[in-house]
Amino acid sequence: MQIIRLLSDETINKIAAGEVIESPASCVKELIENALDANAKKITIEMLGGGLKLLRISDDGFGMSRLDAKACILRHATSKLVSADDLFRISTKGFRGEALASIASISKVKIATKKDGDEGIELEVEEGKVAKEKPLARRPGTTIEVRSLFYNVPARKKFQKSAPALSAEIFRIVTTMALSHPDVHFELISNQRSIIKTEHTGLEKRAEELLGEEFVSGSFPLHYKCDAFELSGMIGSPQNTRSNKTSQHLFINGRAVVCVPIANAVRMGYATRLEERRHPIFLLYLTASTDLIDVNVHPQKLEVRLREEELFHTEVERAVMNALQEEKPKSTYSFTPTNTAFEDVSFKFEEEQTPELLPFEKTSAEFLGQFGSHLLFKEEDELVFLDSKAVSFRTRFEQLQKNETKAASQGLLVPIRVDLTPVECAMVLTHQDAIEGMGFSLRSMGGETFQVEALPPFLDEWEVQDALVEMAHALQAFIGEKDYSEARQEKLALITASRAKRKSGYLQDEAIRLYEELHRCESPKFCPKGNPTKVHLNDDEIKALFRADQKTAKSS
Ligand code: ADP
Ligand code: MG
């Protein structure tokens, strides 16, 4: 008896499809790459329901002949690679001829295409095979429509994220593609709404459109050439940093890649100018001979290896150092409120008030006075220094974590307008509830604009734009994560609390209130960043300070 059978083409395609197309975003990436390989100058991406319902990618590239259109959905059908030798001098993005075959086997595909001098054609593809075809009058170029992605692979469909999360991934891919090809126009339309639409070509304008003006104005231009490679683009000023690496954009030979050694070398170029745990922002394009770069050709992997890592490290570090020395950033980074006209009349309904808290026991501490930002108390027989900044950071943080701030949120008479990049906007929309839990109230105004109608009581208005941008960037870390709601709450609370107003003068009862708020905290000893909130000195320790063999104060 023979139990070994050959798998049908259909099954082989479905299995292989899983490797190439794991989400709507990877489908979009493949289709955009095909359009770019066809020399398109304008690419439009439409999607419904995060791309699971519909994806439609249209380009004005050179299109396909009727015969090619029918062949393009076959596995290992490619116009880009003829023999194994070609593998070593590949310049197109795709070459394995797998993407369309994969997509066609796990969705319902319609292809409309026309090549100059040829008749246009429209094909309907089902289960990987041409089901219908008819001639079509259209301009040269190609439109590929993908409906019901994963309809016949329920196991994969089940593991897809929610539509907003999938959309956010697509925003990100399109942004990256549009950055990697600043000479090609892109438009992304989600649920009939235009989300990204590039108006300009050229690196600087493109960066401004997609990453925000602030990214560009706060960056130094960088142009560097050495024997091994050419590097150009822009790097953020040392003040314009982020808490994560999502604003580091690197393209090697036209591909968006992750390349840790280069990112590290960039950081080294800043030497001591960066604060700990802050990351520079950059948009860099590296062009090098393909001999030096090892692009992992697995379709999902963007990682590259460098043949001469040391050399790259030294040269990239030097490129960054030079750029930071030679010129000033385009304009010094500073925040300008977007609603300047209303700035003066904008105020809050009420003065800041501390959220209503549980009644507390009388404290035994006596307030002695204030020294700089430190508050001095006598606690039984100890002298206690409170660092008022660290303490308010801690108390705000815990209030935010427990959702106690939302109720105290302050309505604004004149809402604050906040402009975000498409990706930031997508993140804010996706996590709007969680952000509002911090005491913000947001209204989407279409495009990438929001109106902030209420704020946490302790936040200054001019912090709002930066706070939301920082949140949007931090939230990107949760793409693809499961069970992140606690981590997210903590992150958002941290960002919001770290921007709380710094009070300078404390009256006695305010000082005592702060002291008591601190003692109701779950972790009163340290601020959320780990700095001590208070220092105790007892009599012996104070005496020791006056002796030659002094000991250091103990912190508690
Ligand atoms: P690959 O890109 O690796 O060659 P694909 O499955 O992505 O494989 O595409 C198969 C072939 O279909 C391509 O080699 C190309 O000839 C053709 N093709 C796909 N998309 C387009 C497009 N948008 N415009 C012109 N030709 C296309
Ligand atoms: Mg391809």
Side-chain angles (χ1 to χ4, degrees):
M1 189 179 81
Q2 186 182 11
I3 53 169
I4 295 179
R5 283 171 287 126
L6 288 175
L7 295 173
S8 71
D9 280 353
E10 215 181 300
T11 313
I12 295 172
N13 276 345
K14 268 202 216 170
I15 294 171
E19 285 167 26
V20 189
I21 306 298
E22 49 185 27
S23 68
S26 53
C27 184
V28 168
K29 175 171 166 283
E30 291 293 340
L31 296 176
I32 293 179
E33 286 186 345
N34 281 346
L36 290 170
D37 283 343
N39 281 342
K41 287 290 157 238
K42 175 158 203 289
I43 303 172
T44 306
I45 301 102
E46 292 164 86
M47 63 173 177
L48 289 178
L52 287 173
K53 255 194 212 156
L54 170 81
L55 284 172
R56 190 188 292 126
I57 282 78
S58 313
D59 69 61
D60 60 356
F62 49 59
M64 283 178 269
S65 68
R66 304 188 55 195
L67 290 176
D68 281 342
K70 288 197 257 184
C72 74
I73 51 164
L74 302 174
R75 182 149 302 271
H76 307 305
T78 177
S79 55
K80 299 167 196 171
L81 184 71
V82 182
S83 72
D85 287 347
D86 288 348
L87 254 177
F88 300 101
R89 39 191 146 83
I90 210 80
S91 64
T92 50
K93 314 237 172 273
F95 54 82
R96 308 173 139 215
E98 278 184 320
L100 284 180
S102 300
I103 295 167
S105 71
I106 51 174
S107 68
K108 297 178 182 174
V109 170
K110 220 189 238 180
I111 300 173
T113 186
K114 178 181 156 66
K115 201 182 180 94
D116 228 354
D118 214 329
E119 199 184 6
I121 183 172
E122 183 179 277
L123 299 176
E124 279 178 41
V125 185
E126 252 173 73
E127 303 285 338
K129 298 197 180 66
V130 177
K132 267 189 213 157
E133 74 169 272
K134 61 175 187 208
L136 176 81
R138 60 162 285 157
R139 276 176 297 173
T142 305
T143 300
I144 306 230
E145 191 178 287
V146 178
R147 282 187 190 272
S148 314
L149 191 59
F150 305 127
Y151 78 101
N152 54 358
V153 254
R156 185 158 289 268
K157 183 149 189 211
K158 212 167 74 196
F159 287 105
Q160 296 299 309
K161 291 167 216 152
S162 67
L166 293 173
S167 304
E169 285 182 356
I170 294 175
F171 296 138
R172 211 151 67 151
I173 288 280
V174 175
T175 302
T176 304
M177 293 300 229
L179 285 173
S180 71
H181 288 76
D183 50 331
V184 177
H185 273 297
F186 286 82
E187 181 167 11
L188 170 65
I189 302 169
S190 175
N191 299 331
Q192 267 114 36
R193 229 185 74 198
S194 179
I195 304 283
I196 295 178
K197 186 165 196 242
T198 58
E199 304 280 348
H200 303 276
T201 53
L203 173 62
E204 195 179 311
K205 286 277 171 212
R206 183 57 57 90
E208 244 174 48
E209 283 181 293
L210 296 170
L211 303 176
E213 254 171 81
E214 168 233 293
F215 188 107
V216 179
S217 64
S219 291
F220 291 83
L222 183 154
H223 298 284
Y224 187 83
K225 207 173 160 173
C226 60
D227 289 342
F229 63 84
E230 210 177 317
L231 185 67
S232 63
M234 49 187 90
I235 55 170
S237 78
Q239 289 77 41
N240 192 6
T241 57
R242 296 281 148 81
S243 57
N244 59 37
K245 297 182 185 167
T246 47
S247 289
Q248 303 191 337
H249 306 275
L250 176 65
F251 301 92
I252 297 187
N253 294 344
R255 274 175 213 266
V257 297
V258 175
C259 181
V260 178
I262 290 189
N264 285 345
V266 171
R267 197 170 205 290
M268 296 294 281
Y270 282 80
T272 53
R273 281 179 250 207
L274 292 180
E275 280 175 52
E276 230 183 292
R277 280 185 287 181
R278 299 296 291 180
H279 301 282
I281 62 174
F282 58 76
L283 173 62
L284 289 173
Y285 300 81
L286 188 141
T287 323
S289 150
T290 42
D291 301 342
L292 295 173
I293 309 260
D294 201 358
V295 181
N296 190 329
V297 291
H298 184 283
Q300 287 306 321
K301 284 206 186 114
L302 304 155
E303 265 150 57
V304 295
R305 254 170 290 149
L306 306 169
R307 295 272 155 83
E308 293 188 47
E309 214 174 294
E310 277 297 303
L311 171 89
F312 274 92
H313 194 283
T314 322
E315 297 286 358
V316 169
E317 188 180 339
R318 182 171 306 149
V320 171
M321 273 160 51
N322 290 353
L324 289 174
Q325 262 162 23
E326 270 171 27
E327 294 184 61
K328 285 184 163 298
K330 288 196 59 238
S331 70
T332 39
Y333 171 63
S334 71
F335 170 68
T336 28
T338 35
N339 56 341
T340 329
F342 297 122
E343 214 184 342
D344 293 338
V345 292
S346 163
F347 63 89
K348 291 174 189 172
F349 287 137
E350 284 163 76
E351 277 294 277
E352 177 188 355
Q353 49 174 230
T354 320
E356 219 41 68
L357 295 165
L358 301 167
F360 40 80
E361 347 68 81
K362 202 91 202 86
T363 43
S364 50
E366 184 189 337
F367 179 53
L368 300 178
Q370 181 171 1
F371 184 74
S373 59
H374 294 96
L375 304 175
L376 264 64
F377 291 85
K378 181 173 179 290
E379 208 179 83
E380 302 194 342
D381 47 11
E382 287 188 325
L383 184 62
V384 180
F385 288 79
L386 282 200
D387 179 337
S388 65
K389 290 182 195 162
V391 174
S392 22
F393 191 8
R394 164 55 60 191
T395 56
R396 302 297 188 215
F397 176 69
E398 292 205 3
Q399 286 159 12
L400 286 162
Q401 272 204 311
K402 291 185 211 136
N403 270 330
E404 289 173 350
T405 308
K406 195 171 178 182
S409 166
Q410 303 287 299
L412 293 171
L413 197 60
V414 180
I416 302 170
R417 189 189 138 117
V418 170
D419 290 301
L420 301 173
T421 65
V423 178
E424 289 162 358
C425 174
M427 298 322 297
V428 169
L429 282 173
T430 309
H431 301 274
Q432 187 166 348
D433 281 355
I435 296 173
E436 295 198 329
M438 300 292 119
F440 294 91
S441 167
L442 307 174
R443 182 200 294 264
S444 167
M445 303 305 284
E448 286 83 54
T449 305
F450 283 88
Q451 269 193 1
V452 179
E453 299 180 334
L455 291 186
F458 48 77
L459 208 67
D460 274 322
E461 287 177 30
W462 52 268
E463 289 274 10
V464 170
Q465 166 107 23
D466 282 1
L468 286 178
V469 167
E470 194 179 345
M471 287 183 186
H473 288 265
L475 288 165
Q476 289 188 31
F478 299 115
I479 292 179
E481 294 292 313
K482 290 200 184 98
D483 304 328
Y484 55 67
S485 70
E486 219 170 283
R488 178 180 65 180
Q489 178 93 350
E490 184 177 319
K491 190 77 215 179
L492 295 178
L494 196 65
I495 292 170
T496 314
S498 71
R499 292 176 180 273
K501 278 184 225 175
R502 303 273 188 247
K503 196 172 165 63
S504 44
Y506 280 83
L507 299 172
Q508 169 149 356
D509 49 341
E510 289 171 331
I512 291 180
R513 180 184 275 278
L514 191 72
Y515 178 96
E516 284 161 343
E517 273 183 33
L518 177 68
H519 289 85
R520 275 196 306 276
C521 283
E522 276 166 28
S523 315
K525 288 188 181 168
F526 299 99
C527 90
K529 293 235 163 107
N531 298 318
T533 51
K534 54 178 189 163
V535 170
H536 290 244
L537 288 176
N538 64 25
D539 200 36
D540 289 346
E541 284 163 325
I542 294 173
K543 280 186 184 141
L545 290 174
F546 292 92
R547 282 202 303 268
D549 61 333
Q550 54 175 281
K551 292 176 194 155
T552 42
K554 123 188 157 201
S555 73
S556 150

